[in-house]
Amino acid sequence: MNLHEQTNRIKQMMGLLVEEEQKGYSGTNRIILIGPPTVGKSTVAEELSKQLGVEYVILDKLQEKFGYGNGKELELVKYVLSPDFNKYNTPSILDFGGGHVYNDGVKELLSQYPNVFLLMPSQDSQKSEELLRKGNTERWTGFMDQIIQGLQSGNHKHTKEKETELIDKLQRMRQGEGGKFDKEDLPDTEEMKGWGGLDMENDWNKYVPLTKDEDVKNKDIAKHIISVYNDNGDRRNKTEIVKDIIELL
């Protein structure tokens, strides 16, 4: 079966090729992506959405409107997994944020969902840890590089002396030094809109954004595990990852 035939089969399963008046589509058929930060869940969700022609929902964006703390994260999960959610009976992809699955009760909520995919750097735990550390470092140094470029462009309210001071501070932070970078010091560029600054601990570049307990919870909830890096430690193409997911649906 080629990819086109597989895609049609998945659309049939998700209710996309039946007449609108026909019923029977269940919200539990939705595809759910989970995994730690930096594995590329949103990138994969977007590509999967394009190939299947269905909508994808990013829980992190919904959380901004839903609020944070005091159990709000679990409330959001319960909401999107319930018939009260306006897209419950709509074939779609749910992109869970890095922390949404760690709430008590989420495993039970997802027990009836057969299409829960855990994206991990590797099937090997030690290799995953190394790649997650690398990905986390690249993510934050990338943010810092954007700030430095914005400051160097001159789009800010600082004096030249202050600009140099801030850039020097960011260069040290890039090497793993802890420190704060206030929102008010960010350059006035389009890329910086909505940013809240930085607050990094010493040796932040040694941090792995996944504890052993979180790793166990992820694997306990997932129905399938997909590796997003190859054996050489290079990130796989998103179309290859999506192909693996489609074959397992």
Side-chain angles (χ1 to χ4, degrees), residues 173-197:
M173 289 172 68
R174 285 184 88 265
Q175 303 306 313
E177 181 179 302
K180 289 186 176 182
F181 197 93
D182 295 331
K183 179 179 179 180
E184 292 72 23
D185 289 331
L186 291 171
D188 184 21
T189 62
E190 190 66 31
E191 292 79 13
M192 297 294 108
K193 287 184 178 179
W195 282 35

Side-chain angles (χ1 to χ4, degrees), residues 150-195:
L151 290 170
Q152 291 174 335
S153 71
N155 293 320
H156 56 74
K157 61 180 183 300
H158 309 302
T159 63
K160 191 66 179 177
E161 182 180 1
K162 182 68 173 178
E163 175 192 306
T164 300
E165 177 188 329
L166 291 172
I167 291 175
D168 287 345
K169 180 180 182 179
L170 286 165
Q171 294 287 13
R172 295 194 304 273
M173 289 172 68
R174 285 184 88 265
Q175 303 306 313
E177 181 179 302
K180 289 186 176 182
F181 197 93
D182 295 331
K183 179 179 179 180
E184 292 72 23
D185 289 331
L186 291 171
D188 184 21
T189 62
E190 190 66 31
E191 292 79 13
M192 297 294 108
K193 287 184 178 179
W195 282 35

Side-chain angles (χ1 to χ4, degrees), residues 15-25:
L16 296 174
L17 297 182
V18 298
E19 296 297 325
E20 287 190 12
E21 62 269 16
Q22 288 184 295
K23 305 298 181 183
Y25 175 78

